[in-house]
Amino acid sequence: MNWNGLNVLVTGGSGHIGSNLVERLVNEGAKVRVADNLWRGKKEYLLDNNGKPLIDMEKSFFHMDLTEMKNCEKAVDGMDVVFHLADIVAGIDFVFGNEAYVYRQNVLINSNMFAASHKAKLEKLSYVGAACAYPLEKQNDPNHPLFKEEDMYPAHPESSYGWGKLMGEYECELYSRTGMLDASILRLHNVYGPKTDLSPQKSQVIPATIRKAIRHPDEEFIIWGNGEQNRAFIYVTDVVDALMLAMEKGINKGPIQIGNETKTTINEIADKVIQISEKNIEKKYDLTKPIGDLGRAADCSLADEVLGWEPKVNLDEGLRMTYEWAEQFLKSYPDICK
């Protein structure tokens, strides 16, 4: 797909996935606009390696709340395609402590963006769902085989975040099936990598584990639960590859999951991070904290078949690159840990 000169909106574009996607799009020659409320994203993530902004921050960065329809209409005006990544997401402590808020915000953001994109007659839209929307019973079954796309139903996500992401999939499919939008839908497993949230309040498991190792002994190295819960972790540049391919090959093909087939426990992640840190760190456990779903991994044969996609970055390499980025970022922005 030729991105040169294409007007592209990335909602949530200063967040973890969004900022990495913006960098890729700019390098491909696209004219990128970002819409973000900076709830978890950071303008610093939109700088290149030399500290230069990737986009014109005065003209092409829209600091706005996408729960307001008028803001969505303003964001899509003049755009050709939209990557819709914006949502309210954080670690499981925040999600389970603010379920009504998380659900309402995400349903409003999604519904507004779909309607505004349809009204503006955009060429294409890509929506990002989440694997945590899979049924609770299946995710907590240690003998469940690799997840397939059809395992989503009968629906029973564990959290309001999962329900909100699933409702986004459903509404996006309504627009797609009825010809109101040409849309792709990617269902992401656990994404990690540079430009992720490192704060104690909102970070997810890999960045939180890395932050604790970097700051140790000033911060205790505590694992929530017994550490035996597992996930299928996927590096952020592999997700960016999938998003670019989905806009070209995944339009109106229904949900396609992006992850890997390897289950990795939180204890294994912690051990790898400790090894990278080269510190003498003793793991501690807090069994009173929420642990989320016990585990899942992905059968990505559909992604291979439709998109020609498969992951490229292995976990050891990805963790090391994420650790190196986080170490430098925390040196530059130490207040993030307060």
Side-chain angles (χ1 to χ4, degrees):
M1 183 169 172
N2 184 8
W3 294 93
N4 192 43
L6 207 63
N7 295 306
V8 182
L9 169 66
V10 181
T11 71
S14 61
H16 177 207
I17 301 171
S19 58
N20 282 280
L21 175 62
V22 168
E23 183 174 8
R24 172 74 176 274
L25 288 165
V26 169
N27 289 339
E28 295 279 345
K31 299 176 181 178
V32 181
R33 174 185 294 171
V34 169
D36 201 304
N37 68 353
L38 296 178
W39 185 78
R40 210 162 75 129
K42 301 185 185 308
K43 288 185 176 180
E44 291 84 358
Y45 294 169
L46 293 173
L47 303 177
D48 65 17
N49 293 333
N50 297 315
K52 180 181 178 181
L54 293 166
I55 62 173
D56 186 329
M57 298 300 288
E58 294 294 325
K59 297 179 180 178
S60 299
F61 182 84
F62 287 20
H63 185 190
M64 56 174 47
D65 179 2
L66 297 178
T67 64
E68 297 288 340
M69 182 64 180
K70 63 182 180 181
N71 289 339
C72 294
E73 292 175 341
K74 181 179 179 181
V76 302
D77 184 45
M79 296 292 100
D80 297 313
V81 298
V82 174
F83 287 95
H84 176 38
L85 281 66
D87 66 4
I88 297 296
V89 65
I92 55 177
D93 195 35
F94 181 89
V95 168
F96 286 111
N98 300 273
E99 292 219 75
Y101 171 78
V102 168
Y103 179 80
R104 184 175 189 275
Q105 295 296 103
N106 286 338
V107 169
L108 283 172
I109 290 169
N110 290 336
S111 196
N112 286 343
M113 279 305 306
F114 298 146
S117 298
H118 167 63
K119 183 179 178 181
K121 296 182 171 59
L122 295 188
E123 291 181 16
K124 298 178 182 178
L125 177 142
S126 184
Y127 171 72
V128 172
C132 63
Y134 280 115
L136 169 63
E137 297 82 4
K138 296 177 182 177
Q139 298 202 56
N140 286 341
D141 177 4
N143 298 315
H144 193 280
L146 297 177
F147 277 85
K148 293 179 176 289
E149 283 75 7
E150 56 266 28
D151 285 330
M152 186 63 75
Y153 294 94
H156 187 207
E158 179 184 22
S159 69
S160 71
Y161 177 75
W163 276 109
K165 297 304 285 185
L166 181 56
M167 292 301 97
E169 276 193 18
Y170 174 70
E171 188 169 0
C172 191
E173 282 197 274
L174 291 178
Y175 276 86
S176 176
R177 288 200 307 263
T178 57
M180 297 172 69
L181 274 176
D182 286 328
S184 68
I185 301 171
L186 293 187
R187 187 181 296 159
L188 305 183
H189 285 253
N190 291 67
V191 185
Y192 74 101
K195 301 184 178 181
T196 187
D197 195 311
L198 294 168
S199 69
Q201 298 80 18
K202 300 173 186 174
S203 59
Q204 292 165 297
V205 62
I206 284 183
T209 303
I210 287 174
R211 184 197 69 245
K212 292 170 186 176
I214 292 171
R215 300 190 70 239
H216 186 272
D218 294 332
E219 182 175 353
E220 286 190 294
F221 196 87
I222 297 176
I223 295 170
W224 289 11
N226 63 10
E228 289 307 302
Q229 63 272 39
N230 60 69
R231 302 286 186 269
F233 295 100
I234 186 74
Y235 193 69
V236 66
T237 56
D238 285 333
V239 173
V240 170
D241 287 345
L243 284 162
M244 301 289 279
L245 287 166
M247 194 65 87
E248 180 180 0
K249 301 178 180 180
I251 296 298
N252 302 331
K253 299 292 178 62
I256 300 172
Q257 66 175 343
I258 299 297
N260 64 60
E261 63 182 20
T262 303
K263 293 181 179 181
T264 305
T265 68
I266 307 307
N267 275 325
E268 290 174 309
I269 293 293
D271 290 339
K272 290 177 183 292
V273 169
I274 290 171
Q275 184 178 12
I276 293 168
S277 76
E278 298 182 342
K279 294 182 179 180
N280 183 20
I281 298 176
E282 179 184 355
K283 291 182 291 185
K284 298 180 180 180
Y285 298 89
D286 188 343
L287 301 179
T288 69
K289 293 291 189 180
I291 61 173
D293 303 310
L294 293 183
R296 56 178 178 264
D299 178 341
C300 290
S301 55
L302 188 61
D304 183 18
E305 176 186 338
V306 176
L307 307 179
W309 177 91
E310 61 181 19
K312 299 174 183 175
V313 180
N314 67 50
L315 185 61
D316 288 341
E317 179 187 3
L319 285 175
R320 185 169 296 280
M321 290 189 292
T322 308
Y323 191 99
E324 291 171 355
W325 169 84
E327 199 167 34
Q328 291 302 313
F329 192 84
L330 289 175
K331 285 180 182 177
S332 299
Y333 303 97
D335 289 347
I336 200 171
C337 295
K338 293 182 179 179

